[in-house]
Amino acid sequence: DVVTKEYVDPVKSQAAINRTTLGTQCKNLLNETGYLSSITSVTRGTKSISGNQITLTATADNCFTNPHTSSDGGYRIPVEPDTDYILSWESDNTYAGLVYVFMNGNTSNYKNANNKVSKYIKFTTNSDTTFITIRLAVATSGNSITYSNIMLRYADILDDTYEPYQPSVREQTAYSLSVSGKSTSAAIS
């Protein structure tokens, strides 16, 4: 009998293991539920949200999700300055649609990728970046794209397998204290 053993890349798996076993944060840094529920409207299109996916249907060219910038109340995803990240997603097709990551919610400071060509954006935050916002889009009228399994991870975590969001120890502590009525900042310090 021949025994086969699946190869596990030690570097690829170690980064994810270190971050999760330390209990500070699991691999996916994006609270998809919070992000998707923050999408209140779509410019030149419609939306349908179900679970961890959103379907955008363009009623005219250049359809995109709102809000998405700091000024219009876009969902703020906390990040660290001068840090490498990867935003990835899955989609049901290869229709054109730009996905944007705005640094500090600023539309003049962004990275983007076209869903037709890529399903991820690798970017480095600026020295003053404390949060990002995201905009999903469909380029052509009549097309629909279902974006799902949207994940933000540190770029040194090479394992790109989707993992649902789990709150960090800091978030869990803050939530527990807010429910109990205790001071969050005092307890965290």
Side-chain angles (χ1 to χ4, degrees), residues 170-186:
R170 183 181 193 102
E171 290 170 304
Q172 291 175 34
T173 303
Y175 175 76
S176 296
L177 293 171
S178 70
V179 169
S180 70
K182 302 211 179 195
S183 167
T184 303
S185 58

Side-chain angles (χ1 to χ4, degrees), residues 15 35 55 60 75-76 79 83 96 102 114 138 151 162 173 175 178 186-187 189:
Y35 168 63
T55 300
Y75 185 76
R76 294 178 174 206
V79 293
T83 304
F102 298 111
N114 190 332
V138 179
M151 183 168 68
Y162 173 76
T173 303
Y175 175 76
S178 70
S189 24

Side-chain angles (χ1 to χ4, degrees), residues 114-176:
N114 190 332
N115 180 68
K116 185 173 186 165
V117 178
S118 177
K119 303 290 189 253
Y120 74 94
I121 302 169
K122 184 174 181 179
F123 63 96
T124 303
T125 54
N126 300 324
S127 61
D128 66 343
T129 305
T130 58
F131 69 92
I132 60 169
T133 56
I134 300 171
R135 179 171 85 183
L136 305 173
V138 179
T140 307
S141 181
N143 287 352
S144 291
I145 299 176
T146 298
Y147 291 99
S148 62
N149 293 340
I150 304 166
M151 183 168 68
L152 177 69
R153 69 183 191 276
Y154 293 102
D156 65 347
I157 298 177
L158 303 178
D159 178 6
D160 62 357
T161 310
Y162 173 76
E163 176 183 288
Y165 171 80
Q166 295 294 322
S168 68
V169 169
R170 183 181 193 102
E171 290 170 304
Q172 291 175 34
T173 303
Y175 175 76
S176 296

Side-chain angles (χ1 to χ4, degrees), residues 6-176:
E6 183 179 335
Y7 173 74
V8 176
D9 183 337
V11 174
K12 188 174 182 178
S13 63
Q14 195 60 40
I17 289 170
N18 283 344
R19 292 197 194 274
T20 55
T21 56
L22 291 176
T24 57
Q25 181 69 56
C26 290
K27 180 170 57 174
N28 189 356
L29 303 171
L30 173 64
N31 181 343
E32 273 181 296
T33 303
Y35 168 63
L36 292 175
S37 66
S38 76
I39 298 172
T40 56
S41 64
V42 176
T43 297
R44 293 180 287 280
T46 62
K47 67 176 170 96
S48 172
I49 298 174
S50 176
N52 73 340
Q53 65 184 27
I54 181 170
T55 300
L56 301 176
T57 302
T59 56
D61 288 352
N62 192 23
C63 155
F64 55 86
T65 56
N66 294 304
H68 60 269
T69 65
S70 183
S71 62
D72 64 10
Y75 185 76
R76 294 178 174 206
I77 302 150
V79 293
E80 299 167 23
D82 297 316
T83 304
D84 297 329
Y85 291 94
I86 295 175
L87 177 72
S88 60
W89 62 91
E90 295 173 14
S91 71
D92 61 340
N93 56 49
T94 56
Y95 286 143
L98 293 178
V99 175
Y100 286 85
V101 172
F102 298 111
M103 308 295 164
N104 287 339
N106 184 338
T107 57
S108 62
N109 190 355
Y110 63 88
K111 298 289 182 187
N112 66 6
N114 190 332
N115 180 68
K116 185 173 186 165
V117 178
S118 177
K119 303 290 189 253
Y120 74 94
I121 302 169
K122 184 174 181 179
F123 63 96
T124 303
T125 54
N126 300 324
S127 61
D128 66 343
T129 305
T130 58
F131 69 92
I132 60 169
T133 56
I134 300 171
R135 179 171 85 183
L136 305 173
V138 179
T140 307
S141 181
N143 287 352
S144 291
I145 299 176
T146 298
Y147 291 99
S148 62
N149 293 340
I150 304 166
M151 183 168 68
L152 177 69
R153 69 183 191 276
Y154 293 102
D156 65 347
I157 298 177
L158 303 178
D159 178 6
D160 62 357
T161 310
Y162 173 76
E163 176 183 288
Y165 171 80
Q166 295 294 322
S168 68
V169 169
R170 183 181 193 102
E171 290 170 304
Q172 291 175 34
T173 303
Y175 175 76
S176 296

